[in-house]
Amino acid sequence: METSPFSLYRFNAKFQPEWLPRFLVFRATGDLPRIGLTAMRAEGFVTLALPAWASRRLR
């Protein structure tokens, strides 16, 4: 199975996605890392895994 970024691009191209620009408005530059990470999580570009001890506590 091919696992390169190009194979994902080809798979997604089949659905003819429409790319739209995104804009961020923020008050202070110090907020930008947190806002950027939140935006990337919302778009599905980043997933955060909890450490094993933390995930056991959620059960």
Side-chain angles (χ1 to χ4, degrees), residues 28-51:
T29 55
D31 295 336
L32 193 53
R34 180 179 46 85
I35 294 168
L37 181 60
T38 302
M40 290 189 309
R41 287 182 65 200
E43 292 290 337
F45 295 124
V46 174
T47 56
L48 299 176
L50 293 174

Side-chain angles (χ1 to χ4, degrees), residues 48-59:
L48 299 176
L50 293 174
W53 63 267
S55 62
R56 284 192 300 270
R57 290 177 118 181
L58 295 175
R59 292 181 191 168

